Amino acid sequence: MNAIQLRAELFREMSPLLDSEAAMTKVIAFVKNIVSAQRKEVGIAPREGWAAAAKQAHNDGEDKLMAADVFEDETMEDCIW
């Protein structure tokens, strides 16, 4: 059985679940728990090294805006922070 056949078989078996939002929510939560447990087992932490990479990108000048700021003339005085 190849990957496409396996996916088709899984879809056929899960088809009744697709009609129930509560059931699909439980399935998705279960799968997410499995994936995060596997990552912990392998030693992969989510967002590991992101802070250092962001700091390096800033130091290298690679953290510039990719699009023009469309609100250049807005003062933001009415905003309460």
Side-chain angles (χ1 to χ4, degrees), residues 33-46:
N33 286 337
I34 290 174
V35 170
S36 65
Q38 287 174 340
R39 286 185 177 162
K40 285 180 186 176
E41 198 173 283
V42 175
I44 301 171

Side-chain angles (χ1 to χ4, degrees), residues 53-74:
K55 190 172 188 174
Q56 186 63 44
H58 176 72
N59 291 339
D60 295 343
E62 296 176 351
D63 61 345
K64 304 289 184 231
L65 288 175
M66 294 178 71
D69 188 358
V70 295
F71 300 112
E72 290 174 351
D73 58 344
E74 194 164 328

Side-chain angles (χ1 to χ4, degrees), residues 14 18 25 36-37 47 65 76:
M14 291 185 67
L18 296 175
T25 302
S36 65
R47 296 185 262 314
L65 288 175
M76 307 290 276

